[in-house]
Amino acid sequence: MDFSSKLPNVGQTIFTTMSKLANEYKAINLSQGFPNFPTDVKLKELAQNAVAENHNQYAPLQGLPKLTEKIIEKTNTLYNSTYSNEEVCVTAGATQAIFTIFSTFLKPSDEVIIFKPAYDCYEPAIELNNAIPVLVEMKAPSYSIDWEEVKQLITSKTKMIVVNNPHNPSGKVFTLEDMQALENIVKDTNILVLSDEVYEHMTFDGSSHLSVAKFPELQKRSFLVASFGKTFHVTGWKLGYVLAPKELMEEYKKVHQYNVFCVNHPMQVALAEYLENSENYLQLSDFYQQRRDFFNSFLAQSSFEFTPTQGSYFQLADYSKVSDLKDTDFCLHLIKDYGIAAIPVSVFNKDEKCRKVIRFCFAKDEETLTKAGKILAKI
Ligand code: GLN
């Protein structure tokens, strides 16, 4: 068939590519971000019970009231925000929420500011909606943001700014200064904010997560996107949610209803019950900080250079002292010759510029981290 691609420059995602290669070469997979340890038995039992108790038909469009109430309670308690029950929608993971937000609000030639390196689903989704991604480079190695530069890039066409905090792949956790700078840029404008906070419960060394929900000027124009997949080690469930002020949420739901209508009912029953115990998400930072430190204790013996990640379950490492290869080639070399799969960060960078940095996912059990760590320590 003769057709013209809407995404001529897009191929297979790096996550699929690297996980496939990891399987092919039987390498330890520290590339795609997902935990390899089992899901909590309690959550599995709740899911099994929900199916057995016949919660198997369509759920309400915006999500099960029992679950949406819990989400609102959790968010307002943690971030001192003022969301009400009409201001939430349960989604098929963060990815669907993000795509639906773009589809709802972007019109041809609208501009959307995103920060590079960026998680890979933003740009294609913006382009599919005929809008234009405007790229701002975070300043390596600290991945700081020059907010003056952002200000200069605002035009009459700027519809939205996308922030990802904690940030994938760098692990950057936004500071109070970052949040205030963002607030100053958008206040008194009609610019919307999409805040991808899927790693909200993974911040380390005492730093706390500054959600847009904590800042009234930001809350009133923001979509806060979250993922149960990340928080409860169930990436395969593909469940998350979006929060936004009432008028924005009403508009969002117009599209969501034709996009998915509603999402997995029995898993929503399970999640509603599981959220009763706040320990299930409050202990996550400690849990992952231990894994980060354990993994980094091996990396510290190697010639890789790194700063311990501040948030998320990713650790970046600079391999300049190890090899002259491009990062994509270096990752191939790591898989084939050392049996370790990682992600070349250039795929997330502006113009795919290689800075000799790769990303490891440390959401793995102790045995896997030990095995991988021992190999990496010798490089
Ligand atoms: N978010 C995960 C990562 O960054 C992968 C998700 C996916 O495979 N699409 O590795």
Side-chain angles (χ1 to χ4, degrees), residues 43-213:
L43 182 55
K44 288 195 283 198
E45 270 169 25
L46 289 169
Q48 281 158 354
N49 293 345
V51 172
E53 286 161 10
N54 291 315
H55 296 288
N56 298 316
Q57 308 309 327
Y58 293 128
L61 184 151
Q62 79 167 105
L64 276 188
K66 245 178 93 175
L67 178 58
T68 55
E69 280 160 24
K70 277 276 140 215
I71 293 169
I72 296 295
E73 188 188 311
K74 163 184 182 279
T75 310
N76 287 347
T77 305
L78 284 178
Y79 303 133
N80 208 15
S81 50
T82 54
Y83 291 107
S84 66
N85 206 36
E86 309 144 298
E87 300 182 313
V88 59
C89 188
V90 182
T91 62
T95 311
Q96 181 249 309
I98 291 165
F99 198 94
T100 305
I101 293 164
F102 288 148
S103 299
T104 307
F105 293 95
L106 298 183
K107 292 191 172 160
S109 75
D110 277 347
E111 293 175 1
V112 181
I113 292 182
I114 65 175
F115 298 95
K116 299 288 279 180
Y119 182 57
D120 68 344
C121 81
Y122 308 144
E123 279 159 84
I126 292 167
E127 283 165 6
L128 279 172
N129 286 291
N130 298 315
I132 302 162
V134 175
L135 312 181
V136 182
E137 271 188 273
M138 298 165 84
K139 309 289 176 251
S142 64
Y143 294 91
S144 58
I145 292 172
D146 179 348
W147 291 102
E148 261 320 299
E149 188 185 340
V150 179
K151 217 166 164 179
Q152 303 302 323
L153 289 169
I154 303 283
T155 72
S156 57
K157 293 188 169 163
T158 308
K159 176 61 71 68
M160 203 180 283
I161 299 179
V162 179
V163 287
N164 172 209
N165 173 32
H167 182 254
N168 179 8
S170 74
K172 174 189 162 64
V173 170
F174 281 47
T175 61
L176 183 60
E177 289 71 32
D178 286 320
M179 299 307 285
Q180 285 169 338
L182 175 63
E183 193 170 39
N184 279 332
I185 287 174
V186 294
K187 78 164 188 258
D188 304 325
T189 72
N190 280 318
I191 300 172
L192 301 169
V193 173
L194 192 169
S195 187
D196 178 344
E197 302 185 14
V198 300
Y199 302 105
E200 66 185 318
H201 298 299
M202 302 172 206
T203 57
F204 311 131
D205 305 320
S207 65
S208 68
H209 172 61
L210 295 178
S211 171
V212 285

Side-chain angles (χ1 to χ4, degrees), residues 1 32 68 164 209 213 253 286 343 356 358:
M1 297 298 290
Q32 193 178 20
T68 55
N164 172 209
H209 172 61
K253 284 194 284 191
D286 285 344
I343 295 282
K356 298 204 168 164
I358 60 175

Side-chain angles (χ1 to χ4, degrees), residues 228-292:
F228 289 118
K230 302 288 170 188
T231 301
F232 295 141
H233 317 306
V234 285
T235 59
W237 286 17
K238 290 304 291 188
L239 279 170
Y241 57 90
V242 53
L243 293 157
K246 189 162 177 273
E247 319 79 73
L248 297 180
M249 185 49 75
E250 286 298 317
E251 198 62 23
Y252 169 90
K253 284 194 284 191
K254 285 187 195 171
V255 179
H256 179 92
Q257 66 188 340
Y258 295 121
N259 191 183
V260 282
F261 183 74
C262 67
V263 300
N264 195 312
H265 187 161
M267 299 301 155
Q268 291 192 56
V269 175
L271 288 165
E273 296 250 344
Y274 198 64
L275 277 168
E276 292 282 345
N277 182 359
S278 60
E279 270 312 293
N280 288 333
Y281 48 88
L282 293 180
Q283 48 70 39
L284 208 61
S285 286
D286 285 344
F287 175 85
Y288 275 123
Q289 185 170 325
Q290 277 171 25
R291 270 160 217 263
R292 178 202 67 172

